[in-house]
Amino acid sequence: MQMSALEMEITKDKILRKDKPKGTIMGPWTNSASGNDILVWSSKCTRPGHGSSYPVVKSRGLIPASACAVVELIKDSDRVMEYNKMSIGREDQVVLTQDVSSSVHCLESNCPQLGVPGEAKIMSSKCQPPLTLKPLEFKTLFYARQLNSEDGVEMDGVAYITVGRSVWETPEGTTEGSDGTTTRCEIMLSVNLVREITTTEGGTSWCELTSITHAISPGVPVFIGKKLGLVAAENYIKDIRSLFVK
């Protein structure tokens, strides 16, 4: 997916950490993160349409781990509660790339069923953010693969991308949730860009994680959703980082 198709315009920058960067570990690309800083932006879609009134939130920060380890963590549904404190759980409902030769770490082989490299699955998940009466429920088509030099992404070493979008239709063509105890939410777009940083000292593995989320939460006012989104975006980076801090 080409990010330019979103036609988003940054309308407000918010850096949650005001101190100047203290670290020397930085990726050799535009607007790279440094030290312990976590950068968070809120954006607004310029094209009117479904979900355009809801904010798009982007976050970026360094993780003291290899890009491989971080992407493996993100795609593992059994480990989501280790870094997402609001999560009630996530389950892989359908794995679309069953063939063992199809891997997020392999660019040479395509899944014989889908004809693309990488891994794809449909996941269901629930979370309980603050100020919400019912847990939020999601059903997402998730895809992950390794990037190559032809993808147009600035890289220092190995890099991965994951993309998610809601797929609520049932086999009967309805969009019903599982039951009445949750609020069904729609993820318009969820992206994780994980880029290895090779310019480090002492042999320590580092990568930079960039996350973009655009979601619709019925019953949650837009201004509250924006505040929750900014806090959640910062905590997402912070909590993943904490798992790898020794």
Side-chain angles (χ1 to χ4, degrees):
M1 177 180 293
Q2 295 294 327
M3 296 304 295
S4 59
L6 292 175
E7 295 189 4
M8 294 188 301
E9 178 182 358
I10 299 296
T11 57
K12 183 180 180 181
D13 294 335
K14 184 175 183 180
I15 301 178
L16 297 184
R17 297 181 61 89
K18 297 297 184 180
D19 55 318
K20 295 182 180 180
K22 298 181 177 63
T24 57
I25 300 173
M26 296 178 65
W29 43 73
T30 307
N31 297 325
S32 59
S34 175
N36 292 325
D37 288 347
I38 298 176
L39 309 179
V40 180
W41 299 265
S42 62
S43 310
K44 185 176 180 181
C45 296
T46 58
R47 175 186 293 178
H50 179 62
S52 60
S53 60
Y54 288 82
V56 181
V57 177
K58 174 181 176 181
S59 58
R60 174 173 289 172
L62 294 178
I63 310 293
S66 68
C68 174
V70 173
V71 77
E72 283 292 331
L73 173 70
I74 291 172
K75 71 185 186 72
D76 189 345
S77 293
D78 292 334
R79 299 188 63 191
V80 67
M81 296 178 68
E82 294 182 24
Y83 59 87
N84 186 345
K85 294 181 175 62
M86 296 184 293
S87 175
I88 304 175
R90 194 177 82 189
E91 179 184 356
D92 295 344
Q93 290 194 328
V94 181
V95 178
L96 301 172
T97 48
Q98 293 278 8
D99 191 88
V100 293
S101 65
S102 180
S103 167
V104 68
H105 308 293
C106 182
L107 292 172
E108 288 73 27
S109 60
N110 294 343
C111 171
Q113 181 177 347
L114 300 181
V116 296
E119 301 178 37
K121 57 185 176 179
I122 296 176
M123 312 180 300
S124 62
S125 59
K126 295 179 183 179
C127 69
Q128 182 75 67
L131 306 178
T132 57
L133 299 178
K134 295 181 180 181
L136 305 182
E137 183 179 6
F138 305 86
K139 185 177 290 184
T140 311
L141 172 62
F142 175 89
Y143 175 66
R145 73 171 176 89
Q146 186 176 334
L147 294 172
N148 58 49
S149 58
E150 299 177 356
D151 288 315
V153 177
E154 295 177 283
M155 297 187 296
D156 186 27
V158 67
Y160 301 90
I161 190 167
T162 76
V163 182
R165 182 178 173 86
S166 286
V167 284
W168 272 107
E169 288 76 7
T170 66
E172 292 75 30
T174 64
T175 57
E176 299 176 353
S178 59
D179 52 50
T181 64
T182 62
T183 298
R184 181 172 60 85
C185 295
E186 183 176 3
I187 296 178
M188 302 293 291
L189 182 69
S190 173
V191 175
N192 290 291
L193 174 62
V194 189
R195 294 184 281 190
E196 192 99 346
I197 299 175
T198 63
T199 52
T200 61
E201 298 179 356
T204 303
S205 296
W206 284 87
C207 68
E208 183 186 83
L209 173 60
T210 301
S211 176
I212 298 176
T213 303
H214 184 201
I216 299 174
S217 301
V220 179
V222 174
F223 74 95
I224 293 180
K226 180 177 179 179
K227 292 181 179 180
L228 290 176
L230 289 168
V231 174
E234 181 193 21
N235 289 338
Y236 179 70
I237 304 282
K238 184 184 297 182
D239 293 338
I240 289 179
R241 176 190 290 167
S242 67
L243 292 181
F244 295 101
V245 173
K246 298 180 181 180

